[in-house]
Amino acid sequence: MPSLEQLLAQVGSHREEMVEALSELIRIPAIGPESGGSGELERSRYLRDILDHSKFDDVEMYDALDERVRLRLRPNIIARRRGKADQTVWIVAHMDTVPPGDLSAWSTPPFSPRLVDGKLYGLGAEDNGQAIISGLFAAETLMSTGVELERGLGIALVADEEAGNEKGIRFLLQEGVFKPGDIIFVPDHGTPRGDEVEIAEKHILWLKFTVTGRQVHASRPDLGINAMRVGSELIVFLQEFLQRKYGERDPLFTPDRSTFEPTKRLQTVGNVNTIPGEDVFYFDCRVLPRYDLDAVQSDITAITDIFEQKTGARIRVEPVQLTRSGRPSDPEGEGMRALRWAVQRVLGVEPRPVGIGGGTCANFFRLAGMDAYVWQTIEELAHQPNEYCVIDNLVNDAKVYATVLAALCCGSQFKA
Ligand SMILES: [Zn+2]
């Protein structure tokens, strides 16, 4: 039976292969159709090939139908190694990326990996390539020791995380891939020191407001209804009202309160001397899980009704995104204890449980009644130009997850 030290040394010996695998991943674009991309198919074929040559017992594809992409499918890969118990420990990572944005902001092309000073540059290197590669190597190294698994071990590589999860983790949950009692890890949020485990997320509510007044010449405001003025008053009133009414604080989260922020506003008139007949703006609300989103929405409706009566304008409110948050994961659950122990053992820091403004795949497990823990060591460069992955983080995350899997899947067999 190998010792934990030997297992960690074996993970470390795969450093070059991990860099190579992540480089290859970066070369294969996996952008969703809502951003003009063709999805994850090519990338999934590369990963499928790695998994077919691994020690997993079975590798299955769960293809979600999506009319918007070539071959009309969004691929999800489920790799499993059976254990004695009918319970599985999962590492879940997403294959898709956001688009690169302004190419002139990238100092090297986003799909051409470049290794400089221990950092591998490329789109999706950190979000979520690091998790895919560290998860794969953690699992494969553990399985290569030949130990018998008490619990099963699974890797889920999912599509469509950056734009709603409908063809990804939500699809897999509907398909019944995961079972109550499974323990889930989602390496898709973290800090540079690896000292946070995310166990809770806020509700997410994005709203679009359209205020319709009456457009007139700016010299005759009394003849019209200035939609921008109505909209502006509404923005200030809503923000203050909601912030006060839903004002409880929870130190688990940063920031420790619900937030209700006006964000995007459309230009409706192009000249100075016209009173706008329309005003369009958006709110991004992140609400503590203790509150009911329906109550927030009915308060907003009541307020817009009053504004309509008072001003004569018409106000339409449409949700652009509504994601309820599940019950926070148990901060003393078995998954959390194993993770805390592994992080201490490998990195020498004690991670603390935190909540974030959302959202990761973990939330959908929590909504389904499962505990999910979000941990990795990252520079927090997701969605930025010149995104990179620190190779030490890549290798250390693999060591931490190999330790977690050893503790949960092989229990007593590993000599600590
Ligand atoms: Zn991500």
Side-chain angles (χ1 to χ4, degrees):
M1 207 51 56
S3 69
L4 193 56
E5 292 312 326
Q6 286 165 327
L7 178 70
L8 296 181
Q10 273 164 35
V11 173
S13 73
H14 294 304
R15 189 182 180 95
E16 302 304 319
E17 288 158 76
M18 294 171 77
V19 172
E20 225 164 90
L22 183 53
S23 302
E24 195 52 39
L25 211 60
I26 291 168
R27 286 189 190 101
I28 312 169
I31 298 166
E34 52 293 311
S35 305
S38 53
E40 305 83 357
L41 190 59
E42 248 197 284
R43 186 174 276 205
S44 75
R45 284 182 175 149
Y46 168 67
L47 290 166
R48 166 88 205 236
D49 189 55
I50 294 181
L51 286 162
D52 280 341
H53 294 91
S54 73
K55 299 228 155 15
F56 284 102
D57 293 321
D58 49 73
V59 181
E60 287 174 279
M61 301 302 297
Y62 284 78
D63 295 330
L65 180 69
D66 191 337
E67 303 283 353
R68 300 169 298 176
V69 292
R70 203 167 53 84
L71 299 182
R72 302 191 306 160
L73 61 89
R74 304 291 294 277
N76 295 278
I77 312 175
I78 297 296
R80 268 182 277 227
R81 170 99 168 185
R82 281 181 291 275
K84 278 185 247 162
D86 187 28
Q87 197 189 20
T88 305
V89 181
W90 293 94
I91 294 178
V92 180
H94 66 87
M95 294 185 284
D96 58 318
T97 74
V98 292
D102 179 10
L103 286 176
S104 68
W106 286 79
S107 51
T108 48
F111 304 108
S112 302
R114 195 170 56 110
L115 186 63
V116 185
D117 295 336
K119 298 167 182 169
L120 184 61
Y121 288 82
L123 177 67
E126 197 173 66
D127 180 24
N128 198 213
Q130 180 179 324
I132 294 176
I133 303 303
S134 59
L136 285 180
F137 278 80
E140 184 65 11
T141 312
L142 178 65
M143 293 186 295
S144 299
T145 63
V147 285
E148 246 190 281
L149 302 188
E150 282 146 29
R151 286 188 175 104
L153 192 169
I155 296 268
L157 303 178
V158 307
D160 194 26
E161 194 275 341
E162 298 288 359
N165 296 287
E166 207 191 308
K167 313 290 183 191
I169 200 64
R170 293 165 84 168
F171 172 71
L172 291 175
L173 281 158
Q174 280 160 18
E175 292 287 305
V177 171
F178 309 98
K179 302 256 166 0
D182 285 358
I183 300 175
I184 320 284
F185 296 96
V186 182
D188 199 14
H189 171 81
T191 61
R193 293 187 62 225
D195 55 358
E196 287 184 358
V197 178
E198 186 256 274
I199 62 161
E201 295 173 15
K202 293 176 185 171
H203 301 297
I204 304 175
L205 177 63
W206 294 356
L207 294 170
K208 177 186 183 186
F209 292 79
T210 307
V211 180
T212 308
R214 195 182 316 121
Q215 178 181 322
V216 288
H217 193 283
S219 64
R220 300 298 306 277
D222 300 343
L223 300 178
I225 299 173
N226 189 329
M228 188 182 190
R229 185 143 50 80
V230 175
S232 300
E233 285 170 10
L234 178 60
I235 287 172
V236 173
F237 187 88
L238 267 180
Q239 211 268 335
E240 285 175 2
F241 178 89
L242 296 169
Q243 202 70 78
R244 201 173 334 110
K245 176 152 182 194
Y246 299 94
E248 280 182 32
R249 290 175 183 265
D250 183 339
L252 184 66
F253 289 88
T254 308
D256 64 354
R257 57 184 163 80
S258 306
T259 54
F260 305 91
E261 290 298 318
T263 51
K264 172 166 144 179
R265 195 169 205 171
L266 304 190
Q267 181 184 332
T268 47
V269 288
N271 55 311
V272 180
N273 56 347
T274 295
I275 284 186
E278 192 170 73
D279 189 31
V280 182
F281 58 87
Y282 292 75
F283 260 68
D284 179 330
C285 310
R286 310 281 167 141
V287 184
L288 289 178
R290 68 185 64 185
Y291 290 119
D292 177 7
L293 266 194
D294 293 337
V296 175
Q297 281 184 290
S298 60
D299 278 341
I300 292 171
T301 307
I303 290 166
T304 54
D305 284 352
I306 294 169
F307 268 73
E308 282 187 331
Q309 284 160 26
K310 205 176 74 175
T311 64
R314 273 188 299 115
I315 303 169
R316 197 167 71 235
V317 187
E318 301 155 88
V320 181
Q321 191 196 159
L322 193 162
T323 306
R324 287 173 213 281
S325 64
R327 160 193 66 72
S329 299
D330 182 356
E332 287 308 320
E334 210 182 342
M336 179 69 188
R337 281 184 277 127
L339 185 54
R340 193 190 290 135
W341 177 73
V343 174
Q344 262 173 332
R345 176 85 205 217
V346 176
L347 299 180
V349 296
E350 170 148 14
R352 62 195 169 88
V354 301
I356 63 170
T360 73
C361 287
N363 186 50
F364 298 99
F365 289 101
R366 294 181 190 132
L367 283 168
M370 288 172 238
D371 279 336
Y373 300 96
V374 180
W375 178 90
Q376 63 180 163
T377 321
I378 51 166
E379 302 288 303
E380 301 175 82
L381 301 166
H383 307 194
Q384 290 181 30
N386 303 313
E387 177 180 353
Y388 61 81
C389 159
V390 175
I391 304 305
D392 283 343
N393 291 345
L394 178 69
V395 177
N396 284 336
D397 283 10
K399 287 182 180 174
V400 167
Y401 277 112
T403 308
V404 168
L405 295 173
L408 291 172
C409 298
C410 316
S412 52
Q413 297 178 64
F414 265 88
K415 289 189 276 142

